[in-house]
Amino acid sequence: MNVVTRGFAGRRGPSNPRIPPGQYLETDFPVLSAGPTPGVRTEEWRLDVVDTDGTRRSLSWADLGALPHEDLTTDIHCVTKWSKLDTTWRGVPLEAVLDGDGAVATHVLVHSYGGYTTNLPLEDVTGGRAWVATHYGGKPLTPEHGGPARLLVPHLYFWKSAKWVRGLELLTEDHLGFWEQLGYHALGDPWREQRYVGD
Ligand SMILES: Nc1nc2c(c(=O)[nH]1)N[C@H]1C(S)=C(S)[C@@H](COP(=O)(O)O)O[C@H]1N2
Ligand SMILES: [Mo]
């Protein structure tokens, strides 16, 4: 029996256990971009992986397509407080993209077309927790949502899921990205409500 009244739910936040603290359920898919949408054609698209010793591999769209893809359904949580449940994606697990690179790395700074960056601990993008996503909802990613390819790290706030991914810089220390330099949390775990530095 559901004994949670409307008033109780209103004071204590959503009763859905899949909604992290302070978040509300969104059914649309809002677009949040800090700048204009860069138009990147797949023919020119590259993903550079730069290891801690400076060695660089550059993947083309065909290279990415040749890697094993996964279909996944997951919830996403934006720091502006919307959460969206059961979003469906197709992408390449980051481990397959790294292909053994980052053996001594602790962090990765993700670079996007347009200049956006975001930092992540390596352990948060390995172990089947991050993808280079090429499809959303069964269709190729639209440009406003990060097409042709974006990072997808659904267990962290969605600003970590860099759209228009361009490069992965492997590091032996944490270098803050775009929002992180402006005071957002270095990790950004929605379940611990790590929105800003000090949370
Ligand atoms: N390159 C890039 N990636 C980005 C952003 C951005 O401004 N530029 N915004 C981030 C933020 S704050 C969020 S909430 C999500 C939004 O993704 P969406 O527009 O597909 O909803 O993308 C993240 N990735
Ligand atoms: Mo966001």
Side-chain angles (χ1 to χ4, degrees), residues 179-192:
W179 285 117
E180 295 84 359
Q181 286 176 37
L182 292 171
Y184 282 81
H185 199 278
L187 180 59
D189 180 346
W191 295 99
R192 290 190 273 168

Side-chain angles (χ1 to χ4, degrees), residues 32 78-80 158-159:
L32 282 102
C78 174
V79 75
T80 61
F158 209 35
W159 89 76

Side-chain angles (χ1 to χ4, degrees), residues 29-34 78 112 116 145 150 158-159 161-164:
F29 193 0
V31 171
L32 282 102
S33 304
C78 174
S112 295
Y116 185 88
H145 285 300
R150 76 180 297 164
F158 209 35
W159 89 76
S161 294
K163 303 196 276 190
W164 318 297

Side-chain angles (χ1 to χ4, degrees), residues 15 35 43 46 49 68 71 84 86 101 108 125 162 169 181 198:
S15 54
E43 305 85 72
R46 306 295 284 196
V49 182
D71 292 297
K84 189 169 170 60
D86 294 321
D101 279 346
V108 60
V125 295
E169 182 183 358
Q181 286 176 37

Side-chain angles (χ1 to χ4, degrees), residues 2-161:
N2 184 357
V3 294
V4 178
T5 66
R6 203 178 178 77
F8 181 82
R11 284 197 305 277
R12 297 298 179 93
S15 54
N16 189 328
R18 286 167 64 186
I19 307 283
Q23 298 289 111
Y24 67 87
L25 184 62
E26 174 65 70
T27 50
D28 287 339
F29 193 0
V31 171
L32 282 102
S33 304
T37 296
V40 187
R41 294 177 304 119
T42 53
E43 305 85 72
E44 64 187 0
W45 181 89
R46 306 295 284 196
L47 177 57
D48 290 352
V49 182
V50 182
D51 209 343
T52 47
D53 64 359
T55 57
R56 177 183 297 258
R57 285 188 299 119
S58 185
L59 282 80
S60 67
W61 189 252
D63 294 333
L64 186 74
L67 295 175
H69 286 62
E70 288 177 4
D71 292 297
L72 66 139
T73 301
T74 188
D75 303 342
I76 54 177
H77 312 288
C78 174
V79 75
T80 61
K81 302 202 166 178
W82 56 267
S83 288
K84 189 169 170 60
L85 304 182
D86 294 321
T87 58
T88 56
W89 303 85
R90 183 168 172 75
V92 179
L94 215 72
E95 259 146 345
V97 174
L98 292 176
D99 191 25
D101 279 346
V104 299
T106 57
H107 292 83
V108 60
L109 186 63
V110 183
H111 295 260
S112 295
Y113 284 95
Y116 185 88
T117 54
T118 190
N119 55 297
L120 296 127
L122 199 60
E123 64 184 12
D124 282 84
V125 295
T126 49
R129 300 210 283 170
W131 294 262
V132 172
T134 56
H135 290 70
Y136 170 78
K139 300 194 186 90
L141 259 186
T142 58
E144 62 268 26
H145 285 300
R150 76 180 297 164
L151 202 72
L152 176 64
V153 194
H155 71 284
L156 299 176
Y157 281 124
F158 209 35
W159 89 76
K160 298 289 181 177
S161 294

